[in-house]
Amino acid sequence: MTSTTRLSRRSFGLLTAGSVASLAIGAPSLIRAQTAVNFAVPNPSALTWLPYWVAVGEGYFAEEGFEPRLEAIDGSSAVLQAMSAGQAQIGAPGPGPTLGARARGVDVKFLYNLYPKSVFGLLVKEDSAYQTPADLKGQVIGVGTADGAEVSFTRAILTEAGMTEGADYSFLPVGDGGTAAVAFLRDEVAAYAGAVSDAAILAARGLTLREITPEAFLGFFGNGIAMLESQMQAMPELAPAFGRALVRGTRFASDPANKEKALAHCAAGNPQEGEQDYAASLYDGVVNRMTPTEAFIGKGYGYQPPEHWQAIHDSAVASGALSEPIGDLASVYTNEFVEGWNG
């Protein structure tokens, strides 16, 4: 995919809610004073953050009294750095990087499970001989960025397969979309740890891939909404309001009758992506991954199963991503807002 048709993951995009505020119709609360907040995300795909752009376009944030501004930066670690530096009041990191930041003393807390089904998959060429992760011993694995959430996700899979990074395999940052496709076509990588958006883009480019993610790891949830505890104290109304708007956006997007309108909201957030032929299929994939499994759908959108956090934590320790266990894992996340968001 050329840079003229899609933002790259390494781009620094600043996409404002104000640019699409005119899409909100009939919301009397728009006359309220709006509190500006920065929302940092690790890639510029508007469809990846579907409920956000729907909530912007439908005026849900405005009704809550907030004017969020989305900043697309390079990976989960950069999101956490922006939050720590006070450049973003709220962000969307992955759980693995969040654990690492918490272990380093960052007072980050995961609030909302945006992707209850794993957003990532371990992908190989359809005609390759690789059938399981163990078959990748001695190979190079492509990732979007060196410190993205996909790295900890894949490292956990390969650790369970008995492999050690550096000795049995290596990671190669190859970006996403078109640059990832080039890496495959040049045989620079044997597999790619891709998000749902990456898989849709690669398929649109005619590169047929096959997923070899072990079933147990498909339950490893993806990126979600997080804040610093200090920021939560400074802006106690932000987390409840942001989550309510996201839940409303998710419910709107999940109704098939709203698909075209929701796609238009996302296209307003990222016009280049909206022009692509993969947009409709990516939309379906995102809605599926954002829908909780039958076991947890009753808990509501945003719920974080403690057993899933434990599995992610234990894998991070086993792989060496965490040098030692976190003593109080419950300090990393909270479900305190979930009931209110879904009320």
Side-chain angles (χ1 to χ4, degrees):
M1 198 68 61
T2 65
S3 60
T4 58
T5 59
R6 185 174 187 271
L7 291 173
S8 74
R9 193 170 198 155
R10 288 173 169 74
S11 297
F12 182 87
L14 193 58
L15 306 173
T16 64
S19 65
V20 291
S22 61
L23 296 177
I25 299 173
S29 58
L30 287 177
I31 63 174
R32 294 170 53 193
Q34 303 292 297
T35 301
V37 294
N38 288 341
F39 175 42
V41 301
N43 71 66
S45 166
L47 283 161
T48 299
W49 317 112
L50 170 63
Y52 170 86
W53 286 110
V54 170
V56 169
E58 290 296 308
Y60 300 152
F61 284 118
E63 291 176 18
E64 294 286 353
F66 284 95
E67 182 183 356
R69 183 173 63 174
L70 184 146
E71 295 185 27
I73 51 184
D74 196 9
S76 289
S77 292
V79 167
L80 291 160
Q81 289 168 8
M83 293 166 62
S84 298
Q87 297 169 348
Q89 289 73 45
I90 194 163
T98 298
L99 285 170
R102 190 79 190 196
R104 296 191 300 273
V106 179
D107 66 329
V108 62
K109 189 175 285 285
F110 214 87
L111 307 178
Y112 188 114
N113 185 356
L114 187 61
Y115 280 95
K117 297 171 187 170
S118 176
V119 69
F120 297 111
L122 188 56
L123 309 171
V124 299
K125 289 181 181 179
E126 176 65 32
D127 59 357
S128 77
Y130 309 117
Q131 300 296 322
T132 70
D135 296 334
L136 295 172
K137 187 171 184 178
Q139 301 300 320
V140 177
I141 314 299
V143 292
T145 62
D147 53 7
E150 72 271 27
V151 175
S152 55
F153 173 78
T154 307
R155 186 184 289 120
I157 292 174
L158 298 179
T159 296
E160 185 173 87
M163 290 187 275
T164 302
E165 182 181 358
D168 300 309
Y169 68 92
S170 61
F171 288 122
L172 177 66
V174 296
D176 59 1
T179 57
V182 169
F184 261 124
L185 294 172
R186 291 178 177 174
D187 291 323
E188 295 173 354
V189 299
Y192 180 66
V196 60
S197 57
D198 301 319
I201 294 165
L202 292 171
R205 289 184 61 84
L207 187 60
T208 305
L209 301 178
R210 174 165 44 83
E211 185 167 359
I212 60 170
T213 308
E215 185 174 350
F217 285 88
L218 290 175
F220 274 43
F221 59 85
N223 293 60
I225 308 304
M227 290 182 66
L228 301 185
E229 290 184 284
S230 54
Q231 190 66 59
M232 292 170 66
Q233 293 172 4
M235 300 183 71
E237 72 285 359
L238 179 55
F242 206 91
R244 280 194 298 268
L246 286 184
V247 168
R248 292 179 70 188
T250 304
R251 287 172 173 164
F252 183 95
S254 298
D255 184 342
N258 296 329
K259 181 174 180 177
E260 291 306 314
K261 191 174 184 183
L263 279 168
H265 290 321
C266 288
N270 187 334
Q272 293 175 329
E273 183 181 56
E275 297 172 356
Q276 305 308 309
D277 54 5
Y278 58 77
S281 61
L282 175 53
Y283 180 98
D284 295 336
V286 167
V287 169
N288 175 269
R289 300 284 179 134
M290 288 185 174
T291 303
T293 62
E294 288 297 321
F296 298 105
I297 189 67
K299 297 288 188 179
Y301 291 110
Y303 179 73
Q304 306 166 68
E307 57 268 41
H308 290 185
W309 264 113
Q310 191 67 54
I312 293 171
H313 170 270
D314 293 349
S315 291
V317 173
S319 68
L322 286 177
S323 58
E324 59 183 24
I326 293 177
D328 181 13
L329 183 57
S331 67
V332 180
Y333 67 97
T334 181
N335 284 313
E336 65 179 291
F337 303 108
V338 173
E339 185 176 353
W341 289 335
N342 288 272

